[in-house]
Amino acid sequence: MPPPAKRTLFPIRLPAPAAGLRTELPGFEGVRFGVEEAEDSLVAAADRLALPRSALSDEPFNILAISGGAAGGAFGAGVLVGLTQAGARPKFAIVTGVSTGALMAPFAFLGSAWDDRLTEAYTGGYAVQALSLKHRPDSFGVGLLGARALERLIDRFIDQDVVEAVAREHALGRRLLTMTTDLDRQATCIWDMGQIASHGGPEALALFRKVLVASSSLPGLFPPRRFACEADGVAYEEMHVDGGVSAPLFIMPEALLRWRNLGNRLDHGRIYVIVNTVLEQAPRTTHNNIASILFRSFDTMLRFSYRNALSTAATFCAAHNLPLSATALLDDPANGNMLNFDTANMKRVFDAAVTRAQGDHLWTTPPPDLPPPAL
């Protein structure tokens, strides 16, 4: 009887593709691209992102960018549901999402008919069940939480019905984009989720889910996701982690704005940004223990990173004369840190966002060159 196979916490992977080598996922060619590709190849970006002239012809061309923020995603979910209840939710031609923003992006894209599922995802207690450190695996491997933690959460809410609905909207010309970070290339990777959905079948569902998991896989907390790819018949493997590692939010490749067939659609639209974290400083005592220090450091890192990202977005929009409306989570000591997936906490954040979205002070227009928090 042969000896049992030796288990390892760090499975051997195939080599990453060499720099500059363009690879594709077998069976899913053309579903992703890098920011550099979009800038260098206007045609490639237009093929993936352009709307047919018939799509949304009588509606404003609105773009929604949803940031990361871990448990702060309850804020963005509440904003969308609150806008529905207020009768003020725009229809978006393009929706982009990063990290937790990627998880809610399909429901933001599909519209208010999916609000019940979005609400359940962020307030139903599933996050604390799947993501609590109390449920960490016996062996950490390459993540504090097991590989199945995010998968279980996403599989519950992203099913064949969601993927088929995304495919239908994609066929009408709307676009759903999410981001991951390619660790090997140290680069942002943009995924056209509608193009993935359009392939249909269980393979499309599996890849759709996997990309969402990868976009939300915060390094150290969750294992990275590995994608088999090939070039010229040679197999490679890429390692992807949370999209927020490279970019906290994403509007669109600037090259798309120069695409001749986009015309003046954006003249009648608006860029909306939902930031799922607090942007302002929130001074308070940090307890002298490793958990408090780590969580506070993570929160501070997010705060600086997201202010810089929003400043970049404001400068981008000002340069192209695009109206910009942004909203962010307000500081409340009761909310805890962004890794606090306690159900009561997330429901409190969600409910407060619903109420705020029904008022007159949800959106602001951030100025270009938004100053960072003072030191």
Side-chain angles (χ1 to χ4, degrees), residues 1 13 31 65 108 160 191 253-254 291 295 314 325 343 357:
M1 181 175 180
R13 55 166 294 195
V31 300
Q160 196 66 49
W191 298 79
E254 187 173 358
F295 289 149
S325 293
T343 303

Side-chain angles (χ1 to χ4, degrees), residues 172-215:
L172 295 175
R174 300 173 64 224
R175 293 297 180 262
L176 172 63
L177 309 174
T178 61
M179 288 173 46
T180 61
T181 299
D182 184 334
L183 276 186
D184 300 311
R185 291 189 173 97
Q186 295 187 316
T188 296
C189 183
I190 303 167
W191 298 79
D192 188 336
M193 303 301 284
Q195 187 69 20
I196 293 174
S198 298
H199 280 69
E203 294 82 6
L205 174 60
L207 181 58
F208 197 100
R209 287 170 166 173
K210 185 174 183 178
V211 172
L212 294 184
V213 170
S215 183

Side-chain angles (χ1 to χ4, degrees), residues 218-233:
L218 185 67
L221 193 61
F222 302 106
R225 289 309 189 265
R226 292 152 52 179
F227 291 85
C229 57
E230 62 181 38
D232 301 323

